[in-house]
Amino acid sequence: MSSSDAESIKKLHEVDTVLADELTASDELLKTIDLAEEDAPFKLSSWLFSRWSSKPQLNEDDIATRRSVYDNPEMAQLYWPKQEYENLHRFDPTARWTHREERSLVRKIDWKIMAWAALSFSALNLDRNNLSQANTDNFLPDLDLTTDDFNWGNSIFRLAFLCAELPSQLVSKRLGPDRWIPTQMVLWSIVTLCQFWLTGRTSFFLTRALLGFIQGGFIPDLILYLSYFYTKNELPFRLALFWMSSNLCSIVGSFIAFGVLRMRGVLGRAGWRWLFLVEGLITFSIGVATFFRMPPSPTQSRTWFRPKGWFTEREETIMVTRVLRDDPTKGDMHNREGLSLKRLWTAVCDYDLWPLYLLGLMFGIPGAPPSTYLTLSLRNLGFSTFTTNLLTIPSTVAGMITMFAITMVSEVLNERTFVAMNEDLWVLPFLVALYCLPENPNQWVYFGLASGLLSYPYTHPIQVGWCSRNAGAVASRTVNASIYNMFVQATSVISAQIYRADDAPRYRRGNLTLIIICCFNVVVLYPATKAYYIWRNRQRDRIWDAMSVEERKEYLTTTTDVGNRRLDFRFAH
């Protein structure tokens, strides 16, 4: 071992000691603060400032490498990546890097990888949300459709979407997300622009089914792709930015609709037809460009049209090594490896993730119908087509802010269950207020309440990252992310049938149903999920703590358990 390596390891131990002291001190502080108190945020921020100002900060040139199992020669061989892992040639457990290097590299990944992934996700939402904008331009009357037909169209879309989730993930794992994601985008953009020629109920249902089937699996595919580049603590924050880009896309979509819908009458066609055509062409362009903007992995950014690649050899070593240090299971499979039926069945039968699937099914129901019917309700209350599209912007902007804030709170407190529950806590009083509105409310009062409701902190990014973390292995993560998203899509199937035509225009029966579901989520579902994972971790602790050091080594050497089945795995909650 060289003197420079010895000095690096010495610095690494110093950093670990500082971090351990901080974690111990923060744990002690949280025991003394009642987070329900009004001044709790002030106490916490004051403590953080005092800690920051009272001790020297880590220098940019200090070692940033985190300790892992690879620092123990006996443990390292038990977690070594497979020979087929495409980035193995850049994996170096002896590599050390500074805070300056890591921050610079992460910023580069954000711009090269994350930014385009967010743009691709925005293209998905541009095509998923344009039906709501089309409704402001007499879409239903032009096709002789009722609001119940509209509900069934949404249900057909979601059913096709969730049915395609798992098959899409299997295709993506075999072909690679860098190939499958742009293929999906090009295919659904063609269906989107073909809606220019819709003729009635049958063609409406058919295009809804095709769009759902092609778009299914797109979100888990992108999340799997991002996990190649980010650590488990970095990913939730990026997912929050991911969904913020979706909200930003909704704002841009509203302005596009504001302009394009004015084309009603051009060539004798309705404005909503031009909207589908224009937005379909936009998505098609992004989809084609995506074929050239998604490298297969951190070490495969060099290609015939990008001969120098995006990253240096040093950067590739840091990228690969830091991700595997954070989560050794990411070396279990290569990025073109399909799933065996055995591993697929094992992941499907993973009962420890069923509580998260149930959360995925239930948490979004209370806010979904008010969101879907916002434009229709505003039009029915007398707002014009163009004013209605602009009035959807305030809640979208507020939703971006609250989603970003709630995700940061979750990571700072290392808490998921009770933080994620805040979406339903936010929605509940607004649902009660909507339920109590008179038959013909003031249009601005309704707009204020609906906008307040739809400004809720969207906790889906937290729960997606939560599910990915609790899966514990690449194969499981791939399947479980799809299953979780299938349950989330089933939310839309259920919620699409809550506001019915015979309950219009105030939907009092529907709002009462939403209030009951919201109360169930807050009082029963989230607390029960947290209690379950605490219980499971205590079970593991009892077994693991009773084993001797030699017994633990024997277990790690001989076990066939993978992912969250391993005794050394602990569930996040």
Side-chain angles (χ1 to χ4, degrees):
M1 180 182 295
S2 67
S3 59
S4 61
D5 286 340
E7 182 64 26
S8 295
I9 293 175
K10 180 181 177 182
K11 279 196 170 187
L12 180 60
H13 283 299
E14 291 173 356
V15 172
D16 289 338
T17 301
V18 172
L19 294 175
D21 289 344
E22 293 294 331
L23 289 172
T24 301
S26 62
D27 286 342
E28 291 300 318
L29 172 79
L30 291 176
K31 291 177 183 177
T32 65
I33 293 181
D34 182 358
L35 294 179
E37 293 179 359
E38 292 184 1
D39 62 345
F42 174 76
K43 289 181 180 178
L44 188 58
S45 61
S46 298
W47 175 83
L48 289 171
F49 178 77
S50 66
R51 295 286 293 185
W52 177 83
S53 59
S54 64
K55 59 193 306 179
Q57 298 300 293
L58 294 174
N59 190 281
E60 284 283 281
D61 294 320
D62 282 340
I63 297 297
T65 318
R66 298 291 186 266
R67 290 183 62 80
S68 78
V69 293
Y70 296 113
D71 295 315
N72 183 328
E74 294 182 1
M75 297 292 291
Q77 59 185 339
L78 304 176
Y79 293 91
W80 203 260
K82 290 186 175 181
Q83 290 298 317
E84 297 82 5
Y85 179 53
E86 71 277 4
N87 301 310
L88 182 60
H89 63 293
R90 290 286 185 260
F91 176 56
D92 181 7
T94 66
R96 297 292 183 266
W97 53 89
T98 65
H99 288 283
R100 189 190 307 275
E101 283 183 289
E102 184 165 30
R103 289 174 183 172
S104 175
L105 177 59
V106 171
R107 283 196 298 268
K108 192 172 184 179
I109 296 172
D110 287 340
W111 282 111
K112 297 292 187 182
I113 304 299
M114 179 65 206
W116 195 264
L119 180 63
S120 301
F121 185 55
S122 297
L124 170 73
N125 286 285
L126 188 67
D127 287 348
R128 284 202 301 181
N129 297 336
N130 54 19
L131 186 59
S132 177
Q133 295 155 351
N135 271 331
T136 66
D137 190 46
N138 299 318
F139 173 77
L140 297 181
D142 285 353
L143 293 178
D144 197 25
L145 301 176
T146 66
T147 54
D148 284 348
D149 293 327
F150 174 70
N151 288 343
W152 279 113
N154 283 326
S155 295
I156 290 171
F157 171 83
R158 298 298 180 180
L159 282 170
F161 197 102
L162 69 88
C163 288
E165 285 277 359
L166 197 52
S168 177
Q169 279 280 276
L170 297 179
V171 172
S172 178
K173 198 68 188 72
R174 172 64 68 180
L175 297 180
D178 57 296
R179 295 171 177 172
W180 180 235
I181 286 173
T183 299
Q184 286 178 286
M185 295 177 67
V186 169
L187 290 175
W188 88 57
S189 66
I190 294 173
V191 177
T192 295
L193 62 88
C194 283
Q195 291 178 109
F196 180 87
W197 293 279
L198 286 178
T199 58
R201 193 168 183 261
T202 301
S203 58
F204 172 59
F205 287 170
L206 178 61
T207 54
R208 288 288 96 191
L210 286 173
L211 281 172
F213 190 77
I214 296 171
Q215 292 177 356
F218 179 82
I219 296 173
D221 291 342
L222 262 184
I223 294 171
L224 174 65
Y225 178 73
L226 291 175
S227 72
Y228 296 162
F229 297 87
Y230 292 106
T231 66
K232 59 177 177 286
N233 288 324
E234 292 168 344
L235 191 57
F237 172 69
R238 268 71 190 180
L239 292 180
L241 296 178
F242 203 57
W243 267 275
M244 283 177 67
S245 72
S246 166
N247 287 13
L248 184 61
C249 171
S250 297
I251 296 173
V252 173
S254 295
F255 281 111
I256 292 175
F258 182 81
V260 174
L261 291 179
R262 292 176 180 270
M263 294 177 65
R264 174 173 275 271
V266 175
L267 299 181
R269 301 287 188 171
W272 57 264
R273 294 185 185 275
W274 292 110
L275 182 67
F276 287 135
L277 183 64
V278 169
E279 293 189 349
L281 289 173
I282 292 174
T283 305
F284 182 83
S285 301
I286 297 174
V288 171
T290 302
F291 278 107
F292 303 94
R293 292 290 303 179
M294 291 186 73
S297 75
T299 62
Q300 295 174 301
S301 62
R302 294 176 182 82
T303 183
W304 63 270
F305 54 84
R306 195 166 49 237
K308 293 184 178 180
W310 282 337
F311 306 104
T312 66
E313 182 176 325
R314 167 71 173 171
E315 288 173 332
E316 290 178 354
T317 298
I318 296 174
M319 272 194 294
V320 173
T321 305
R322 78 189 198 97
V323 165
L324 289 182
R325 277 181 166 274
D326 176 71
D327 186 355
T329 65
K330 291 182 179 179
D332 286 349
M333 303 179 73
H334 66 78
N335 60 358
R336 298 275 194 263
E337 183 178 351
L339 296 175
S340 66
L341 290 178
K342 181 179 179 181
R343 297 193 77 169
L344 175 62
W345 181 248
T346 299
V348 170
C349 296
D350 187 357
Y351 55 82
D352 282 318
L353 290 176
W354 292 356
L356 289 177
Y357 299 156
L358 188 57
L359 284 181
L361 177 68
M362 299 297 293
F363 87 103
I365 293 177
S371 175
T372 303
Y373 273 74
L374 177 63
T375 53
L376 276 176
S377 298
L378 293 178
R379 287 286 282 131
N380 290 336
L381 288 171
F383 289 107
S384 69
T385 296
F386 307 110
T387 301
T388 295
N389 278 293
L390 294 179
L391 288 178
T392 63
I393 294 176
S395 60
T396 304
V397 173
M400 292 171 60
I401 297 171
T402 56
M403 177 175 60
F404 177 80
I406 202 72
T407 305
M408 294 305 296
V409 168
S410 176
E411 287 304 305
V412 169
L413 298 180
N414 194 28
E415 163 59 50
R416 290 152 194 87
T417 316
F418 293 143
V419 173
M421 186 174 70
N422 278 276
E423 176 175 332
D424 285 329
L425 279 174
W426 179 294
V427 167
L428 183 57
F430 288 103
L431 284 176
V432 173
L434 288 178
Y435 177 79
C436 295
L437 282 178
E439 189 66 23
N440 296 298
N442 177 280
Q443 58 181 358
W444 289 107
V445 170
Y446 179 86
F447 164 72
L449 290 175
S451 296
L453 186 154
L454 298 178
S455 300
Y456 58 77
Y458 189 45
T459 58
H460 185 47
I462 297 174
Q463 295 183 177
V464 169
W466 187 7
C467 183
S468 177
R469 186 176 298 189
N470 280 359
V474 173
S476 302
R477 190 175 292 123
T478 301
V479 178
N480 296 132
S482 291
I483 297 174
Y484 170 79
N485 212 48
M486 288 170 67
F487 277 85
V488 173
Q489 298 308 318
T491 292
S492 301
V493 176
I494 297 171
S495 62
Q497 301 301 322
I498 292 179
Y499 279 7
R500 305 293 298 174
D502 61 349
D503 193 28
R506 291 282 59 80
Y507 303 106
R508 287 176 59 85
R509 184 182 69 236
N511 284 329
L512 180 59
T513 302
L514 297 179
I515 291 170
I516 293 171
I517 294 173
C518 202
C519 290
F520 172 77
N521 292 345
V522 170
V523 176
V524 178
L525 194 53
Y526 277 101
T529 299
K530 188 172 188 70
Y532 176 78
Y533 285 127
I534 291 174
W535 172 69
R536 288 291 285 144
N537 285 344
R538 286 176 178 172
Q539 279 188 319
R540 299 272 178 90
D541 287 339
R542 281 196 297 269
I543 299 172
W544 189 254
D545 293 344
M547 297 169 68
S548 66
V549 174
E550 291 302 319
E551 287 174 331
R552 292 178 184 178
K553 289 182 179 179
E554 176 68 17
Y555 169 79
L556 293 174
T557 305
T558 60
T559 185
T560 58
D561 296 336
V562 295
N564 62 14
R565 299 291 94 190
R566 294 170 63 101
L567 289 176
D568 58 340
F569 182 89
R570 297 297 179 269
F571 295 99
H573 55 81

